[in-house]
Amino acid sequence: MLPAKAQPIAETGPLSNWSQVRSLFNLEPGTVHMSAMLLASHPAPVRAAIARHRRALDADPVDYLEAHGPRLTEASREAAANYLGTHLSRVALTESTTMGVGLVYTSLQLRPDQEVLTTDEDYYVTHVSLEQAAQRTGAAVRKTALFDRPDAVSADQIVERITSSIRPETRLLALTWVHSSTGVKIPVREIAAALNEINADRGEDDHVLFGLDAVHGFGVETESFADTGADFLMAGCHKWLFGPRGTGVAAISERGLAATRPTIPSFDESEVFSAWYMRREPRGGNNGRRMTPGGFKAFEHRWALTDAFEFHDMLGRSRVASRTHELAGALKEALADIDRIDVRTPRDSALSSGIVAFAVEGMSSAEMVSRLRDRHIVASVAPYPSALVRLTPSIINSSAEIDRAARAVRDSL
Ligand SMILES: Cc1ncc(COP(=O)(O)O)c(C=O)c1O
């Protein structure tokens, strides 16, 4: 038997009040946690769901898994598909953004005469996955620069840089929705529209496919999978969505599924297992279940994903987006008024999201982050050569915390 579900959160407090939302997290009080871009603290409904599944697994792992596992896993897939506005057959469940990016890019069928295109601004995970895909297939990797200065970027400039970099042999464009180096949010819809024009003159096997590390937009921005125009959208659920740690999703378009082959045997689709058992070829084509890496999981986390999406829906997607943008905007304004602080994230909310990145004149970023920690402000240094300081306001923060963080930056100089 399934244990009773946790109480719907709407009954425990008015979610229109952000301080009530914050009270659902067991975060250390007194500290300003501007860390949603790294690793989530679990809100009460996610903690309750994990505890419920863990208790049942600890009592009888085999019975609970056999009796409820397939249904609970499909419920998580369906919740992710609903969030993304896509069909559940296009959704693979992963354990992180990194797993999704690595899996998808190394699963892509590439010819040695093809190339994959990415940018200097993309993250380690994209760059290394593409290198690994190239080593397997003989395809080339090329990088282009998206802009000269992040704080002076425009959507047109980004689209122009991309379209002028695409060559006849480009098979994949691999980008990041919101850059964790600078906080720049790229205009995904415009990029996808430009790719559609380019693809109109190409055969299907030579279409430029669009891959997106979406982790810093996922759980903040309001676009559906289709709105982004991506063929591959990979995101961890353990950052801005405040989902269970060790969970992620990859959404894949029909033509993306046709262009990839699963890498890790799936446990989510009985057809592949039956085919192996019967010693025949699997029927049907590739799909999100087949792309989901198999093996036994930290199931209590995977199954609590449903509750994380439910919590997000109860908060309201556009409310979360506007709250995050409002706080990030206020932080950028406050930081811009401080001497020696050079805010690199665009002010324009169309070109930014929740990440606020800045440089400090005459001080290393590591030193600033350490001084902020002494003042109980959790910031981080971007793991990129430019190594900017990042503060990332989210739904767990208040306006008072924005002021406190900005004051702490000033006092740390
Ligand atoms: C752009 C980007 N992609 C991927 C990751 C890694 O995410 P995950 O922990 O979900 O693998 C990070 C940072 O943690 C990131 O900044």
Side-chain angles (χ1 to χ4, degrees), residues 30 81 86 110 135 192 195 256-257 359 383 392:
T86 191
L110 290 164
Q135 281 160 18
L195 288 183
L257 286 167
T392 57

Side-chain angles (χ1 to χ4, degrees), residues 37-39 95-99 101 123 125 176 178-180 213 215-216 235-239 247 355 383-384 390:
M37 69 168 307
L38 294 170
L39 191 58
E95 283 147 45
S96 61
T97 324
T98 305
M99 178 188 269
V101 170
Y123 186 44
V125 167
T176 298
V178 181
H179 293 169
S180 47
D213 173 339
V215 68
H216 298 303
C237 301
H238 48 199
K239 297 185 193 281
T247 59
I355 298 176
Y384 292 79
R390 301 172 305 183

Side-chain angles (χ1 to χ4, degrees), residues 172-383:
L172 172 73
L173 173 67
L175 301 178
T176 298
W177 195 356
V178 181
H179 293 169
S180 47
S181 45
T182 57
V184 168
K185 179 175 73 177
I186 61 168
V188 282
R189 293 173 192 246
E190 290 86 339
I191 293 168
L195 288 183
N196 281 344
E197 276 184 32
I198 291 170
N199 285 337
D201 296 330
R202 295 181 174 216
E204 217 164 276
D205 288 350
D206 292 313
H207 276 181
V208 185
L209 301 171
F210 181 15
L212 194 64
D213 173 339
V215 68
H216 298 303
F218 191 83
V220 178
E221 302 298 330
T222 53
E223 277 87 350
S224 67
F225 177 46
D227 289 338
T228 65
D231 290 291
F232 308 106
L233 181 156
M234 290 69 70
C237 301
H238 48 199
K239 297 185 193 281
W240 301 88
L241 184 76
F242 297 97
R245 292 181 286 271
T247 59
V249 294
I252 310 177
S253 70
E254 281 303 314
R255 70 177 176 184
L257 286 167
T260 46
R261 298 288 173 273
T263 299
I264 298 175
S266 174
F267 281 19
D268 284 7
E269 205 205 31
S270 55
E271 171 54 23
V272 183
F273 192 87
S274 304
W276 171 81
Y277 195 82
M278 312 282 285
R279 301 297 193 257
R280 60 167 173 79
E281 283 303 306
R283 297 191 192 100
N286 193 15
N287 60 52
R289 294 185 187 93
R290 282 189 199 183
M291 289 293 284
T292 300
F296 293 124
K297 306 291 174 193
F299 287 116
E300 57 270 55
H301 282 220
R302 174 157 291 182
W303 297 335
L305 247 188
T306 314
D307 305 75
F309 283 112
E310 214 169 84
F311 177 59
H312 192 80
D313 278 348
M314 289 173 100
L315 293 175
R317 196 186 288 213
S318 51
R319 273 183 69 223
V320 170
S322 53
R323 174 69 172 175
T324 310
H325 279 269
E326 176 197 327
L327 294 177
L331 180 61
K332 281 183 272 188
E333 293 302 323
L335 291 173
D337 278 345
I338 305 175
D339 276 352
R340 294 173 53 201
I341 297 299
D342 181 7
V343 179
R344 299 285 172 85
T345 309
R347 301 278 184 93
D348 183 351
S349 73
L351 292 166
S352 60
S353 187
I355 298 176
V356 177
F358 60 95
V360 189
E361 197 191 305
M363 188 189 293
S364 75
S365 293
E367 181 59 26
M368 173 53 81
V369 167
S370 152
R371 291 184 187 189
L372 289 175
R373 290 277 168 97
D374 290 344
R375 291 177 161 82
H376 304 285
I377 311 287
V378 182
S380 58
V381 181

